[in-house]
Amino acid sequence: EAQVTQNPRYLITVTGKKLTVTCSQNMNHEYMSWYRQDPGLGLRQIYYSMNVEVTDKGDVPEGYKVSRKEKRNFPLILESPSPNQTSLYFCASRGTGSHWGNQPQHFGDGTRLSIL
Amino acid sequence: DQQVKQNSPSLSVQEGRISILNCDYTNSMFDYFLWYKKYPAEGPTFLISISSIKDKNEDGRFTVFLNKSAKHLSLHIVPSQPGDSAVYFCAARSGNQFYFGTGTSLTVIP
């Protein structure tokens, strides 16, 4: 089954304690992305990656890091989490290039982070 | 600054009637527009899309209209069904980035 898998689904942690949210896709997609969803603000793009070892900032990258060492994985790293990073996070992937056409993004089921 | 806006946070419609969800955008460089549907505790799922070179795209009960001069996008659902009750997000692409609206919660009343 084609899917985007995020872990953990829920996490409560404290300010300053480094955490990583993993994201994995099994569709051989080149493009992967992270979003956060906040009330009244919709989904905002944090980082995206066009392919292995290629990452770029989205609209709200401050306080986050990403890496793309393998095509299937795109972890989101919070080196020193703060309460304003409490949010619902989504990972997404899509195929790019002429053989994919105009493909929509496929989303994971979300990770709810609470930073105390 | 929000480049994609959905000004109606919620909408209620009777089953069988038409649902019209609206979206406005500010960036004339957007070349691809999408609608996603989201149920609680799940990620958004793709519904329908439209390229900026078209003004209408239809897929079954769902039709998306694009008015580039007004920078306005709408999603029509006909007929509406109770299973359509969800939050709907419009999204737009510029280059390799995607911008989402704040969502409209649709309730279809049986």
Side-chain angles (χ1 to χ4, degrees):
Chain A
E1 180 192 348
Q3 57 187 9
V4 177
T5 304
Q6 299 178 223
N7 280 296
R9 293 291 312 276
Y10 304 91
L11 179 63
I12 301 173
T13 188
V14 295
T15 300
K17 187 176 180 183
K18 180 180 178 180
L19 67 92
T20 300
V21 185
T22 63
C23 175
S24 181
Q25 51 95 3
N26 62 0
M27 295 167 279
N28 201 35
H29 285 165
E30 294 86 359
Y31 184 100
M32 296 186 75
S33 184
W34 277 102
Y35 296 85
R36 59 179 289 175
Q37 182 187 0
D38 301 290
L41 296 174
L43 282 84
R44 293 179 293 166
Q45 195 168 32
I46 303 170
Y47 269 95
Y48 64 94
S49 168
M50 294 298 295
N51 214 323
V52 176
E53 303 291 1
V54 181
T55 62
D56 265 303
K57 295 177 182 178
D59 252 7
V60 288
E62 295 78 19
Y64 304 95
K65 280 176 58 177
V66 291
S67 70
R68 188 88 183 274
K69 293 184 169 56
E70 305 164 287
K71 197 172 185 181
R72 64 181 292 124
N73 296 322
F74 190 45
L76 179 70
I77 303 154
L78 285 71
E79 293 268 1
S80 183
S82 62
N84 65 13
Q85 292 177 299
T86 292
S87 187
L88 178 57
Y89 291 85
F90 290 101
C91 180
S93 74
R94 67 187 283 260
T96 58
S98 57
H99 60 290
W100 287 103
N102 239 351
Q103 287 288 310
Q105 293 179 86
H106 299 256
F107 283 82
D109 283 338
T111 295
R112 187 165 289 283
L113 285 184
S114 293
I115 317 291
L116 305 176
Chain B
D1 189 31
Q2 199 83 18
Q3 297 190 47
V4 178
K5 295 180 184 178
Q6 293 176 257
N7 292 318
S8 298
S10 62
L11 175 68
S12 289
V13 170
Q14 287 289 131
E15 181 178 4
R17 307 293 292 267
I18 185 171
S19 294
I20 299 176
L21 293 93
N22 294 303
C23 180
D24 296 298
Y25 62 94
T26 57
N27 188 343
S28 57
M29 298 303 291
F30 288 147
D31 64 349
Y32 181 52
F33 301 87
L34 311 94
W35 284 94
Y36 284 85
K37 177 178 177 179
K38 185 181 180 305
Y39 293 118
E42 295 183 9
T45 55
F46 170 71
L47 199 54
I48 192 168
S49 64
I50 187 167
S51 165
S52 61
I53 62 173
K54 297 192 173 180
D55 54 20
K56 178 182 173 181
N57 188 28
E58 229 172 317
D59 184 1
R61 297 186 297 115
F62 303 93
T63 303
V64 55
F65 295 92
L66 176 62
N67 182 333
K68 284 178 66 179
S69 59
K71 293 192 175 71
H72 181 79
L73 189 70
S74 63
L75 174 69
H76 291 209
I77 306 173
V78 183
S80 301
Q81 299 173 354
D84 296 329
S85 296
V87 176
Y88 290 78
F89 290 97
C90 67
R93 183 182 72 184
S94 173
N96 295 315
Q97 286 192 247
F98 288 83
Y99 299 85
F100 283 75
T102 51
T104 296
S105 178
L106 173 67
T107 302
V108 179
I109 303 162

